[in-house]
């Protein structure tokens, strides 16, 4: 019966699937961790980091210890009955000799002549013969010298008919071992063949091993693939969970893991069987077969997650999904071809965003009388109607202006790409689609305009101070642990992308050696990290002692948690699950989730604004997320006057235009800065230009802005130069000696640097230089009067700041940061991409000579 059942199962298996599953298995790895392909038993090493288990601490027990503490289930039950006994005495007392899994008859115990012992240490036949003779067990075994001699051994009856069993048959009539014979009788004598397929292995000797024998060949391969998947992903797999999974598959008579319902099993079994089903689906499919599905497993493209062509709820507006499925066959086929090509070079999110836009377009085409099933019937009118539909959805609040623009942009690119892929040619999915069915540049709505007081994504300093307070950080540590606190604190300080923070290695902290201005040897800490988004490796970012302390404390925790892993392989923020060796870092989604739960749990979060009663207005909590720290980092540097080119390098941007999008100065801040610095404005003689002015009306502020032009170290109010936008200075750009020159404390760093340059140039040019004639050297060497004028302005600015009280000084310092940020960004006045290409006219040192040169260059 056993051989026939196995043969019937083998006949029902697809040979192709078996070959694919077998090819996907790393048999050497599985054998190394405990798989025996001959006996079909899985016996994992109990010291394995993922498959191992704890043995009961009671002396002589040896069973698996899955209860709380170092006890197996049986010993834990005995311990509950003897709670007063000291644990040390309980462990050392040991256990009584237990009945082994299977004993052989004292007579029938030879190879080929062995039968299981049922009672009195004898098999059923021997014990029946003993009773008929009226002998004791000892006399029966030795012979009593009278008519009966020692009994001969009897031939083996075979192996139990239960497919998962390896014991000897006890009763020939049913072909079952003694344990399964009793179970069959207790179950009410069910169909013997079905019982043989579904009965579980005997419990007598299951500790430390999993019996897969008796499962269909395909299911065995699938379970092994699931074990392999756990090893590859670092997932912990208990032998008890694997045993429970095998038992569930056996009872369900499953021919494949993917066909069973796992909702009624324990979470551990459900997780393993779900993982196994995913591994099997991946092994039994290829790119061609995957592309025929409506939901793709992106592991075929080396990515995580799935891709849906039947709609997704990933994007919502006001609780309504806006990404309906793609219903037209030709459009879905084109979308699949495009997606398969796009996934080679772009990520899942970008592809899914495009599919969402195609779904919106598909929903619009479905409103046609023919449901949009024929691409040859589409015209420009369908595009116009689609654009009108998007405008209606925005007006109704179903979608946003941003998503409307994004839908048009990605759909336009999708249609262009499909034509480039040849999908509109004869026999292709979009054959017959007219060239006029396209989105033109003029179809895009006007760019979104920033409001004058839009503060961007950077968090105000008052909000950052609250988030990084010891009380709130303590709440974060209480909720998510010290690693989460370290990740948030470090992200707030270094301004890296979220993925870059999460993927930091344990060796990310380094020190640069340099010599200070005093000639002393010093070291400065740097953060060593990669920027995969822009293809940069080993970037070194200068950091402060605060970040050094955070990294050092986290390093100590990681080294203590993973002492057996080489430090160079450890992650600074290792994930908690499926990471036994500490080499896998946490994901950006983990940090997003942790921060969201923490921010939502904060008792209060006040913003910089105040209501009519003077109370702080609550800050929107949805604006606090990990990437906002990067914008705040950029805003802090911009407020401190960091040049935009330097900030571009700090942020790892390819273009300055990207950097300018990370910080901004609102109209309100600019006006406040103008009012604060106006009374401190100085002329070239160091006198206040408006000593009694405390504020400007809107008209006066506008008049002041259009009545001056930017020059080095300040502004110029000379009418002719202002009219010429700074290109018509009649005084050879001697700003610090001109009555039309104005400066204020926000230019103090530039004035100081200019003074240092003047002194250096004077020292250098004062020496003998044969290249210059005496009159040329005299004209080139900075004069003492110019040096004194610059010193006068610097001293006057310092004196003005020193006279302010604490409140006014803080107000002025805020205004200085605002104005320096404004000038660093060159907002509304000077396109930064033209910096270095366009500049002010240089002073004319030799008018006659230069005029003649210009005349010759003009062809005169």
């Amino acid at each position: 019966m056993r051989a026939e059942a196995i043969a019937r199962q083998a006949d029902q298996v697809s040979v192709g699937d078996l070959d694919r599953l077998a090819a996907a298995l790393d048999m050497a790895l599985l054998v190394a961790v405990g798989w025996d392909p001959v006996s079909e038993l899985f016996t994992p090493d109990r010291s394995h980091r993922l498959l191992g288990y704890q043995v009961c601490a009671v002396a002589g027990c040896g069973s698996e210890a899955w209860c709380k503490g170092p006890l197996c289930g049986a010993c834990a039950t005995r311990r509950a009955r003897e709670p007063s006994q000291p644990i040390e005495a309980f462990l050392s007392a040991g256990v009584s000799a237990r009945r082994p899994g299977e004993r052989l008859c004292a007579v029938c115990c030879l190879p080929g002549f062995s039968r299981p012992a049922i009672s009195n240490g004898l098999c059923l036949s021997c014990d029946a013969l003993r009773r008929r003779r009226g002998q004791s067990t000892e006399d029966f075994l030795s012979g009593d010298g009278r008519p009966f001699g020692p009994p001969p051994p009897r031939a083996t009856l075979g192996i139990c008919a239960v497919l998962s069993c390896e014991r000897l048959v006890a009763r020939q009539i049913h072909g079952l071992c003694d344990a399964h014979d009793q179970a069959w009788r207790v179950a009410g004598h069910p169909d013997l063949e079905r019982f043989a397929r579904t009965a579980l292995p005997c419990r007598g000797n299951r500790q430390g091993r999993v019996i897969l024998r008796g499962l269909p060949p395909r299911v065995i391969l699938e379970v092994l693939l699931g074990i392999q998947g756990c090893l590859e992903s670092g997932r912990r797999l208990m032998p008890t969970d694997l045993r429970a999974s095998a038992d569930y598959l056996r009872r369900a008579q499953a021919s494949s893991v993917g066909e069973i319902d796992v909702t009624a099993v324990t979470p551990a079994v459900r997780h393993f069987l779900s993982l196994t089903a995913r591994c099997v689906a991946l092994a039994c499919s290829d790119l061609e077969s995957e592309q025929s599905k409506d939901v793709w497993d992106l592991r075929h493209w080396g990515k995580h997650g799935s891709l849906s062509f039947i709609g997704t709820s990933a994007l919502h507006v006001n609780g309504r999904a806006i990404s309906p499925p793609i219903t037209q066959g030709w459009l879905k086929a084109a979308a699949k071809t495009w997606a398969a090509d796009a996934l080679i070079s772009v990520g899942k999110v970008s592809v899914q965003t495009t599919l969402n836009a195609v779904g919106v377009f598909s929903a619009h085409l479905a409103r046609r009388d023919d449901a949009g099933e024929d691409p040859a019937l589409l015209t420009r009118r369908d595009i116009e109607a689609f654009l009108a539909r998007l405008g209606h959805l925005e007006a109704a609040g179903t979608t946003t202006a941003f998503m409307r623009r994004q839908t048009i942009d990605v759909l336009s690119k999708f249609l262009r790409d499909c034509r480039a892929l040849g999908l509109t040619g004869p026999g292709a999915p979009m054959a017959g689609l007219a060239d006029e069915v396209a989105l033109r540049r003029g179809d895009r709505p006007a760019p979104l305009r920033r409001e004058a007081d839009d503060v961007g994504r950077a968090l105000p300093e008052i909000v950052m101070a609250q988030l990084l307070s010891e009380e709130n950080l303590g709440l974060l540590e209480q909720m998510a642990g010290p690693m989460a606190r370290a990740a948030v604190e470090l992200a707030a300080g270094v301004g890296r992308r979220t993925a870059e923070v999460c993927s930091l290695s344990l060796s990310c902290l380094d020190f640069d050696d340099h010599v200070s201005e005093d000639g002393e040897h010093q070291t400065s800490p740097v953060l060593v990290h990669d920027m995969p988004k822009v293809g940069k490796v080993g970037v070194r970012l200068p950091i402060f002692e605060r970040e050094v302390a955070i990294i050092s404390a986290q390093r100590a925790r990681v080294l203590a948690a993973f002492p057996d892993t080489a430090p160079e392989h450890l992650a600074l923020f290792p994930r908690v699950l499926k990471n036994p060796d500490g080499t896998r870092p946490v994901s950006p989604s983990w940090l997003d989730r942790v921060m969201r739960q923490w921010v939502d749990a904060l008792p209060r979060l006040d913003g910089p604004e105040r209501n009519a009663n003077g109370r702080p207005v609550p800050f929107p909590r949805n604006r606090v997320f990990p990437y906002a720290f990067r914008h705040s980092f950029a805003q802090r540097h911009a407020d401190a006057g960091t040049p935009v080119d330097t900030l571009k390098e700090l942020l790892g941007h390819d273009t300055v235009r990207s950097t300018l999008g990370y910080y901004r100065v609102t109209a309100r801040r600019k006006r406040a800065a103008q009012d604060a610095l106006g009374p401190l404005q100085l002329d070239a003689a160091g006198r206040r230009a408006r000593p009694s002015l405390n504020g400007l009306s809107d008209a006066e502020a506008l008049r002041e802005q259009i009545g001056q032009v930017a020059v080095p170290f300040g502004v110029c109010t000379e009418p002719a130069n202002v009219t010429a936008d700074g290109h018509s200075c009649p005084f050879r750009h001697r700003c610090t000696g001109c009555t039309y020159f104005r400066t204020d404390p926000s230019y103090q760093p530039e004035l100081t640097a200019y003074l240092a340059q003047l002194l250096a140039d004077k020292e250098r040019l004062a020496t003998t230089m044969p290249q210059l004639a005496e009159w040329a050297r005299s004209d080139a060497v900075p004069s003492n009067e110019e040096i004194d004028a610059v010193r006068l302005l610097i001293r006057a600015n310092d004196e003005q700041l020193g006279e302010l009280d604490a409140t006014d000084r803080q107000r002025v310092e805020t205004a200085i940061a605002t104005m320096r940020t404004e000038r660093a960004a060159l907002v509304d006045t000077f396109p930064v991409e033209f910096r270095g290409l366009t500049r002010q006219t240089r002073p004319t040192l030799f008018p006659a000579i230069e005029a003649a040169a210009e005349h010759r260059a003009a062809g005169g």
Side-chain angles (χ1 to χ4, degrees):
M1 180 188 301
R2 178 189 180 94
E4 293 175 356
I6 294 177
R8 281 194 299 272
Q9 289 179 353
D11 291 340
Q12 299 172 358
V13 175
S14 169
V15 177
D17 284 352
L18 282 180
D19 291 341
R20 290 188 176 187
L21 290 172
L25 290 175
D26 185 348
M27 196 55 67
L29 171 66
L30 293 171
V31 170
V33 297
W35 170 244
D36 184 356
V38 177
S39 63
E40 297 181 332
L41 297 178
F42 184 69
T43 310
D45 182 2
R46 67 187 188 188
S47 61
H48 192 276
R49 60 189 182 92
L50 295 177
L51 304 172
Y53 55 93
Q54 186 178 6
V55 176
C56 183
V58 175
C61 179
S63 297
E64 300 167 356
W66 302 114
C67 299
K68 292 182 179 180
L71 302 179
C72 66
C75 292
T77 302
R78 291 193 303 109
R79 173 65 180 166
R81 292 196 296 262
E82 305 172 7
S84 59
Q85 184 179 11
I87 184 64
E88 294 79 7
F90 179 81
L91 297 179
S92 60
V95 296
S96 56
R98 295 185 176 181
R99 179 180 179 181
E102 183 177 29
R103 296 183 301 169
L104 294 180
C105 174
V107 177
C108 310
C109 56
L110 300 177
F113 296 88
S114 55
R115 296 191 179 186
I118 303 300
S119 61
N120 299 315
L122 302 175
C123 64
L124 289 175
S125 298
C126 289
D127 192 58
L129 178 60
R130 179 194 64 79
R131 290 197 304 271
R132 287 196 301 271
R133 292 179 176 180
Q135 295 176 307
S136 64
T137 302
E138 294 75 11
D139 291 342
F140 178 76
L141 294 176
S142 61
D144 54 8
R146 290 182 291 180
F148 306 112
R154 306 173 191 277
T156 301
L157 298 176
I159 303 298
C160 179
V162 173
L163 301 181
S164 62
C165 188
E166 56 184 357
R167 295 189 174 190
L168 297 172
V169 172
R171 294 177 174 81
Q172 186 175 9
I173 184 173
H174 298 138
L176 300 174
C177 66
D178 183 56
H180 280 121
D181 183 73
Q182 295 181 31
W184 177 71
R185 296 174 186 275
V186 170
H189 302 79
D191 179 72
L192 196 57
E193 181 178 352
R194 184 179 185 280
F195 179 79
R197 292 197 308 270
T198 60
L200 304 181
C202 298
R203 295 184 176 274
N205 192 23
R206 300 180 68 185
Q207 285 80 4
R209 63 178 187 167
V210 181
I211 301 173
L212 300 183
R213 184 192 304 111
L215 291 172
R218 176 190 173 103
V219 175
I220 292 179
L221 293 178
E222 291 178 349
V223 172
L224 293 177
L225 195 61
I227 297 173
Q228 181 174 302
C230 289
L231 296 175
E232 292 175 347
S233 62
R235 185 191 295 264
R236 186 84 167 89
L237 179 60
M238 304 289 190
T240 49
D241 298 331
L242 182 57
R243 222 170 13 239
S245 301
D247 292 346
Y248 181 70
L249 292 170
R250 187 171 284 113
R251 286 194 300 267
Q253 301 185 63
S255 58
S256 175
V257 174
E259 69 180 22
I260 61 174
D261 181 17
V262 296
T263 58
V265 296
T266 61
V269 174
R270 180 168 61 253
H271 292 160
F272 172 74
L273 293 180
S274 299
L275 171 67
T276 301
R278 293 194 298 270
C279 294
V280 170
L282 181 65
C284 292
S285 62
D286 51 25
L287 280 176
E288 183 177 356
S289 61
E290 193 69 21
Q291 292 180 29
S292 64
K293 302 176 182 178
D294 287 338
V295 179
W296 290 359
D297 187 340
L298 294 184
R299 287 178 294 176
H300 287 285
W301 285 268
K303 307 178 187 297
H304 298 288
S306 61
L307 196 67
S308 174
F309 296 86
I310 55 176
T312 174
S313 59
L315 298 177
H316 284 77
V317 174
N318 297 332
R320 295 187 292 273
I322 62 166
S323 53
I326 305 172
T327 57
Q328 292 79 18
W330 64 271
L331 190 56
K332 181 183 292 187
K336 290 182 176 180
T337 304
W338 173 87
D341 179 77
L343 284 171
I344 298 174
S345 56
V346 300
K348 168 197 170 183
V349 175
S350 298
V351 176
Q352 188 67 70
T353 299
T354 300
L355 295 182
N356 292 339
V358 176
V360 175
F361 184 55
S362 174
H364 169 71
L365 295 180
R367 298 161 64 92
R368 288 171 49 98
D369 294 338
D370 61 354
E373 293 292 345
D374 188 355
L377 299 179
L378 301 183
T379 65
R380 172 66 185 175
R381 293 181 60 86
D382 293 290
I383 295 295
E384 295 172 352
F386 173 66
L387 296 173
R389 177 67 179 168
L390 288 180
H392 171 72
L393 293 176
E394 179 185 351
T398 305
T399 188
T400 63
F402 170 78
M403 297 188 66
R404 175 190 175 191
R405 184 177 178 85
Q406 182 187 65
T407 299
I408 294 174
D409 287 343
V410 299
L411 185 60
S412 175
K413 183 178 184 301
F414 169 77
L415 293 175
R416 291 197 305 270
D417 290 347
C418 287
R419 288 187 168 91
L421 291 171
L423 298 183
T424 57
M430 305 175 75
L433 185 68
D435 291 341
E436 65 180 6
V437 182
L439 290 164
R440 306 165 185 167
R441 181 175 299 179
D443 294 332
R444 302 169 61 192
L448 299 176
R449 295 185 179 273
R450 292 177 179 172
E451 296 294 334
D453 290 326
D454 183 9
V455 297
R457 301 171 70 181
L459 301 176
E461 287 298 324
I462 187 174
V463 175
M464 290 289 293
Q466 294 174 77
L467 292 174
L468 300 181
S469 67
E470 184 62 32
E471 179 182 359
N472 288 336
L473 288 175
L475 175 62
L476 172 61
E477 184 172 356
Q478 179 183 353
M479 294 177 60
M483 184 179 73
R485 171 175 178 169
V488 170
E489 284 190 282
L490 190 61
V494 300
R496 302 301 87 188
R497 298 177 179 91
T498 308
E500 294 167 2
V501 173
C502 293
S503 61
L504 289 173
S505 66
L506 200 69
S507 56
C508 64
L509 179 62
D510 200 2
F511 294 87
D512 284 340
D513 297 331
H514 61 91
V515 178
S516 66
E517 297 179 355
D518 300 333
E520 298 181 358
H521 179 77
Q522 295 182 346
T523 58
S524 300
V526 292
L527 180 72
V528 183
H529 66 289
D530 297 337
M531 292 183 175
K533 184 176 181 178
V534 292
K536 296 182 180 181
V537 179
V539 179
R540 303 176 72 85
L541 174 73
I543 57 177
F544 299 100
E545 292 300 327
R546 171 182 173 274
E547 284 75 33
V548 173
I550 295 171
I551 295 174
S552 300
Q554 178 62 18
R555 278 172 54 92
R557 286 189 290 266
V558 174
L559 290 173
F562 304 98
D564 299 329
T565 304
E568 60 270 17
H569 297 152
L570 288 170
L572 182 64
F573 301 112
R575 62 191 301 178
V576 178
L577 301 176
K578 298 188 291 185
N579 188 28
D581 51 6
T583 58
R584 295 170 181 254
V586 297
S587 64
S589 60
W590 171 84
L591 189 56
D592 285 333
R593 183 173 61 256
V594 166
M595 274 200 63
R596 176 54 47 219
Q597 295 172 350
W598 168 54
V599 172
D600 291 342
L602 292 178
R604 61 181 297 138
L605 188 63
D606 296 330
E609 304 294 336
R610 293 184 176 272
N611 58 22
N613 298 326
R615 297 179 180 178
V617 177
F619 189 76
R621 297 179 186 242
N622 60 349
R623 286 186 50 196
V624 182
F625 47 89
Y627 212 85
F629 287 151
R630 181 169 171 82
H631 288 262
S632 303
F633 174 85
Q635 189 71 55
R636 287 199 306 272
H637 276 276
D639 290 345
T642 302
V644 68
D645 292 334
T646 303
L647 187 53
K648 165 182 167 292
E649 297 300 324
L650 287 176
L651 293 176
H653 289 152
D654 290 332
T655 64
V656 174
R657 184 178 294 275
S658 298
T659 306
L660 293 178
Y662 274 72
Y663 64 90
R664 65 195 62 166
V665 179
T666 65
R668 184 182 305 173
R669 286 180 61 193
K670 286 186 279 189
R671 177 57 191 280
Q674 189 177 5
D675 287 342
L677 292 175
L680 303 181
Q681 196 174 74
L682 301 174
D683 60 16
R687 299 185 298 267
R688 289 194 180 186
R690 300 193 310 242
S692 61
L693 185 62
N694 296 322
L696 293 174
S697 66
D698 293 340
E700 291 171 334
L702 181 60
R703 186 180 302 111
E704 181 178 272
Q705 291 175 8
I706 65 176
Q708 61 188 24
V709 65
V711 295
F713 325 123
V715 296
C716 176
T717 61
E718 202 280 326
N721 197 32
V722 172
T723 304
D725 290 334
H727 295 277
S728 181
C729 176
F731 307 118
R732 297 176 58 190
H733 292 267
R734 299 296 187 179
C735 297
T736 55
C738 179
T739 59
Y740 292 105
F741 175 69
R742 301 288 185 271
T743 189
D744 60 60
S746 67
Y747 292 97
Q748 195 77 333
E750 286 82 358
L751 288 169
T752 304
Y754 184 53
L755 176 62
Q757 179 185 348
L758 290 176
L759 295 174
D761 289 346
K762 183 178 179 63
E763 182 70 23
R764 180 171 56 87
L765 295 173
T767 60
T768 302
M769 298 185 66
Q771 297 89 342
L772 291 178
E774 183 63 28
W775 64 269
R777 184 183 304 111
S778 299
D779 187 78
V781 174
S783 65
N784 292 330
E785 290 79 2
E786 183 178 7
I787 293 175
D788 292 341
V790 175
R791 282 175 170 163
L792 175 64
L793 293 174
I794 294 174
R795 185 168 56 253
N797 279 327
D798 288 338
E799 290 175 354
Q800 288 191 109
L801 294 176
E803 294 172 357
L804 300 175
D805 57 25
T807 303
D808 289 340
R809 185 180 181 87
Q810 181 178 3
R811 176 169 169 262
V812 169
E813 289 177 349
T814 303
I816 290 174
T818 299
M819 297 307 296
R820 294 189 62 79
T821 303
E822 169 74 1
R823 290 197 289 268
L826 303 176
V827 176
D828 300 329
T829 59
F830 194 65
V832 74
E833 58 265 30
F834 295 134
R835 183 184 294 183
L837 303 179
T838 304
R839 63 187 67 189
Q840 282 188 335
T841 304
R842 296 180 61 82
T844 302
L845 301 179
F846 306 102
I849 298 176
E850 294 191 7
E854 292 178 359
H855 181 69
R856 287 194 300 271

